Amino acid sequence: FTPDLCTPVSEIGARAEKEGWPTEVKVGLIGSCTNSSYEDMTRSASIARQAQAKGIKFKSLFTITPGSEQIRATIARDGVDQPLRDIGGLVLANACGPCIGQWDRQDIAKNEKNTIVTSYNRNFTGRNDANPNTHGFVASPEIATALALAGTLKFNPETDTLMDKDGNPFMLDTPYGDELPSDGFD
């Protein structure tokens, strides 16, 4: 496995199967200093609101790491974090955390082969959890959110459906995000 590959979301599931990489997404992680702008967070929250409306939660563990205290305070004030929390997301401290390996993972056995999807800007072996068998896929915050909802790399949010709480298929709408908070930053 190498982090130096670029594969469209429409092809990653098939590529992972072909290469023998785990397709189950164990954890989705958004944020970090590079991918937690107000717009990033509101776009992911728009996906979470769609899931809420359909009565579903994340199939994967999901963490939100605000890149600064200003972003953390502003998304909390504006309720941007709440839809993500409501469907199972966990807001972490606004610190480097899993992006630099400060992550005490409890969801897998040490050295277990697994897949995570992050919006962090680094994915070399062992970067996030010190496990050389973690396959870290880098995606936009909204793609990481969508894949954590589905729980699999085989989900293509551009063409595939999820199942609502009653077993009815639905597609995610294109996420929307406000570039800047209407009440300014906190």
Side-chain angles (χ1 to χ4, degrees):
F1 179 76
T2 176
D4 298 329
L5 300 174
C6 179
T7 307
V9 71
S10 60
E11 299 171 16
I12 193 62
R15 177 80 185 262
E17 283 186 320
K18 178 183 172 206
E19 300 290 342
W21 304 331
T23 58
E24 178 189 3
V25 175
K26 291 285 191 177
V27 186
L29 305 99
I30 64 168
S32 85
C33 59
T34 54
N35 285 297
S36 68
S37 69
Y38 191 80
E39 183 176 18
D40 290 333
M41 296 294 109
T42 57
R43 289 174 67 84
S44 288
S46 77
I47 293 172
R49 282 191 299 279
Q50 292 177 56
Q52 262 185 310
K54 298 295 184 177
I56 64 170
K57 294 185 179 273
F58 288 114
K59 288 189 178 174
S60 306
L61 296 175
F62 190 77
T63 66
I64 304 101
T65 307
S68 69
E69 175 55 22
Q70 184 178 53
I71 290 293
R72 189 215 52 80
T74 305
I75 66 172
R77 179 199 69 201
D78 294 352
V80 173
D81 62 337
Q82 199 58 53
L84 294 161
R85 289 176 189 265
D86 289 346
I87 64 167
L90 173 66
V91 178
L92 302 176
N94 53 300
C96 297
C99 188
I100 63 166
Q102 294 177 340
W103 182 16
D104 182 21
R105 281 190 76 182
Q106 302 292 313
D107 63 302
I108 61 164
K110 184 113 172 116
N111 294 320
E112 181 180 331
K113 194 174 178 183
N114 74 101
T115 287
I116 63 174
V117 179
T118 83
S119 69
Y120 306 156
N121 63 349
R122 296 172 184 92
N123 67 332
F124 53 83
T125 300
R127 170 67 183 202
N128 301 116
D129 63 1
N131 179 353
N133 294 313
T134 293
H135 292 67
F137 293 88
V138 176
S140 67
E142 54 266 35
I143 293 295
T145 304
L147 292 177
L149 268 175
T152 180
L153 291 177
K154 296 187 225 178
F155 178 67
N156 177 357
E158 297 172 336
T159 58
D160 296 344
T161 58
L162 295 169
M163 298 300 237
D164 72 13
K165 67 178 169 48
D166 298 319
N168 301 308
F170 74 96
M171 287 188 69
L172 292 170
D173 294 329
T174 302
Y176 170 80
D178 294 318
E179 186 176 355
L180 297 168
S182 59
D183 293 332
F185 287 99
D186 210 27

